[in-house]
Amino acid sequence: MKSLCRAFILAPALLLIAGMAHADDYSDTVNLFRNAGESSSFFHRSYAYAVFPTVGEGGLGVGGAFGKGRVYVRGRYVGDTTMGQVSVGFQAGGKAYSQIIFFQDKRALNEFESGTFEFAAGASAVAITAGASASAGTSGASAGASGGKKNARATGVYEKGMAVFTIAKGGLMYAATIAGQRFSFTPRGAH
C-alpha cells in the first residue's frame, strides 16, 4: 500500500514532464532521431511514425509512464497519440526520454490506430546512446543522460511491423517490471 501511495505521488510529476511537449519539440525530436545512428534510415523506409518528445517515467515498487505524441504518415501530421504505462515490480527512480515508433506499412499503422494497441510486456526498444549508457524498453529500463546528439549509434529492425527507438533525456531509474505501453490515437481535427 505504501508503494502504491508513492506511485500516486509521482504521477503528477510524470504528467508535468510529459506535458512539456510543444510543437517545436516535435520537429526538434524528429530531427534528433534523423541524425541519430540507424534510426535515420527508418524515415526513408517506413510508411509512418509516431514521435513522443518527452516520456516521463517513475516509480517505487509501483510505477508509471506517460507521454504525448504525434503521428506522421510520409512526413505529414495526421493525428495525436498518448502513451500510458503502469508497472509493478522491483523499480526505483525516475527518468525522461524521447521515443519514436516506426510503422513498416499501413497494416502496422492501422493496428496502432485501432484504439486498443498495447506493446506486450516483453517488447523492447533500441536505446540510442552517445557517451553515457542508457537502455529503455516497454518491459523496464535504466537510463542516463545521452551525450552528443549527432554521433549516437543504434541498430534496429522491424518486429511485427514496428521498430522503436528511444533517446535518454535524463534521470536514473532501475527497473525490472512487468508492464506494456498502451496507446490511444485521435485523428487530426477530431478534437
Side-chain angles (χ1 to χ4, degrees), residues 34-171:
R34 281 189 193 279
N35 294 307
E38 194 172 319
S39 65
S40 64
S41 69
F42 281 81
F43 286 94
H44 302 293
R45 54 187 176 136
S46 294
Y47 175 77
Y49 59 88
V51 64
F52 298 84
T54 303
V55 176
E57 183 175 352
L60 187 59
V62 175
F66 181 80
K68 291 182 180 182
R70 287 187 176 171
V71 177
Y72 297 84
V73 174
R74 307 268 189 234
R76 190 175 62 86
Y77 168 48
V78 297
D80 297 305
T81 182
T82 58
M83 183 278 292
Q85 178 180 9
V86 175
S87 54
V88 179
F90 182 68
Q91 57 189 321
K95 67 180 174 182
Y97 56 92
S98 297
Q99 178 171 303
I100 193 165
I101 304 167
F102 291 100
F103 305 100
Q104 187 173 21
D105 50 32
K106 185 165 178 39
R107 181 213 51 82
L109 178 62
N110 287 344
E111 183 180 348
F112 180 83
E113 292 177 344
S114 71
T116 59
F117 182 76
E118 180 176 350
F119 280 123
S124 63
V126 173
I128 298 174
T129 61
S133 66
S135 65
T138 56
S139 62
S142 63
S146 183
K149 295 179 179 180
K150 295 191 181 199
N151 62 347
R153 289 174 283 124
T155 58
V157 295
Y158 288 111
E159 290 186 32
K160 298 182 180 178
M162 297 177 204
V164 184
F165 293 86
T166 63
I167 296 177
K169 294 180 87 169

Side-chain angles (χ1 to χ4, degrees), residues 8-47:
F8 285 114
I9 291 170
L10 290 172
L14 292 174
L15 293 173
L16 178 64
I17 290 170
M20 292 187 293
H22 300 290
D24 290 343
D25 291 335
Y26 290 100
S27 60
D28 292 346
T29 304
V30 168
N31 286 332
L32 184 62
F33 281 104
R34 281 189 193 279
N35 294 307
E38 194 172 319
S39 65
S40 64
S41 69
F42 281 81
F43 286 94
H44 302 293
R45 54 187 176 136
S46 294
Y47 175 77

